[in-house]
């Protein structure tokens, strides 16, 4: 079964970021024909642990399990509210805590919410460069939801969600399986065997 991790950086409860994250997860799971186990990490619940991990250099407790959920997933959905034309500090700090290279090659669907459509470019000018630096593979369609988008029943936001979910599913399915260590793939040279440990 395919593991999809969802990171929601919404601060309220409920939050529009979580609502968007849930809809994106449903679209991805549907595109994967139901063959997906979705697990959501609400950063709001781990805010103190995220700061602690920033100071100590390693996550602990329930937050460590949340980090492992994200880095071991086959695909990732990352959603943040937009503040001051960029992702939230909580969102950025969470990804700062992850070990270098832990998201390399991971397919990622980017989502964001904001009060007006004026913030819609934040996905491309803030989020996409961050995930490029982390060497994750962001899907082409990022989904931004402004307040007025939630009222549209067809077209608009629902179409973007379905397209992005399908793109994430396609990237996840196309991702090569992790290489298994095969002792016969790269044999130890005979001289090294003779030399001993």
């Amino acid at each position: 079964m395919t593991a999809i991790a969802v990171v929601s950086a919404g601060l309220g409860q409920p939050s529009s970021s979580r609502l968007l994250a849930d809809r994106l997860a449903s679209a991805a799971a549907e595109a994967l024909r139901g063959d997906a186990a979705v697990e959501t990490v609400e950063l709001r619940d781990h805010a103190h642990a995220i700061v602690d991990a920033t100071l100590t250099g390693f996550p602990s407790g329930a937050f460590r399990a949340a980090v492992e959920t994200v880095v071991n997933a086959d695909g990732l959905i990352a959603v943040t509210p937009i503040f001051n034309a960029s992702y939230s500090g909580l969102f950025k700090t969470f990804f700062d805590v992850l070990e270098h290279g832990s998201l390399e090659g991971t397919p990622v669907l980017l989502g964001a919410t904001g009060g007006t459509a004026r913030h819609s470019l934040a996905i491309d000018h803030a989020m996409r460069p961050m995930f490029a630096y982390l060497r994750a593979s962001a899907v082409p369609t990022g989904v931004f939801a402004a307040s007025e988008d939630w009222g549209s029943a067809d077209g608009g936001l629902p179409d973007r969600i379905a397209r992005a979910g399908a793109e994430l599913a396609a990237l996840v399915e196309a991702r090569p399986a992790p290489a298994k260590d095969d002792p016969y793939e790269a044999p130890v040279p005979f001289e090294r065997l003779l030399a001993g440990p």
Side-chain angles (χ1 to χ4, degrees):
M1 181 155 295
T2 304
I4 301 294
V6 180
V7 172
S8 173
L11 299 180
Q13 203 170 20
S15 73
S16 58
S17 295
R18 176 61 190 265
L19 180 61
L20 178 59
D22 289 345
R23 290 192 182 180
L24 291 170
S26 294
E30 185 177 322
L32 287 164
R33 295 167 298 285
D35 183 34
V38 176
E39 192 166 342
T40 302
V41 175
E42 279 274 10
L43 298 186
R44 178 183 189 278
D45 298 338
H46 300 285
H48 292 288
I50 291 171
V51 173
D52 290 343
T54 303
L55 297 173
T56 62
F58 60 91
S60 60
F63 180 55
R64 181 172 191 73
V67 167
E68 288 173 0
T69 294
V70 171
V71 300
N72 293 326
D74 299 306
L76 174 63
I77 297 170
V79 182
T80 180
I82 299 302
F83 298 125
N84 299 322
S86 189
Y87 38 67
S88 72
L90 185 62
F91 184 82
K92 175 67 164 72
T93 307
F94 171 76
F95 288 101
D96 285 345
V97 168
L98 302 184
E99 283 187 38
H100 181 70
S102 61
L103 291 181
E104 187 167 343
T106 302
V108 181
L109 193 169
L110 306 176
T113 58
T116 70
R118 290 186 316 231
H119 297 297
S120 61
L121 290 177
I123 289 176
D124 290 322
H125 82 73
M127 295 178 73
R128 205 170 287 281
M130 183 181 85
F131 283 96
Y133 176 79
L134 296 172
R135 297 177 184 246
S137 298
V139 303
T141 303
V143 180
F144 179 83
S147 298
E148 63 266 19
D149 289 325
W150 295 108
S152 61
D154 50 274
L157 181 60
D159 286 351
R160 293 195 314 269
I161 288 171
R163 184 177 342 122
E167 289 173 0
L168 179 65
L171 266 183
V172 167
E173 288 174 334
R175 188 176 184 197
K180 294 184 177 162
D181 290 336
D182 183 354
Y184 301 106
E185 195 68 35
V188 178
F190 190 66
E191 298 84 24
R192 214 166 93 205
L193 288 173
L194 288 175

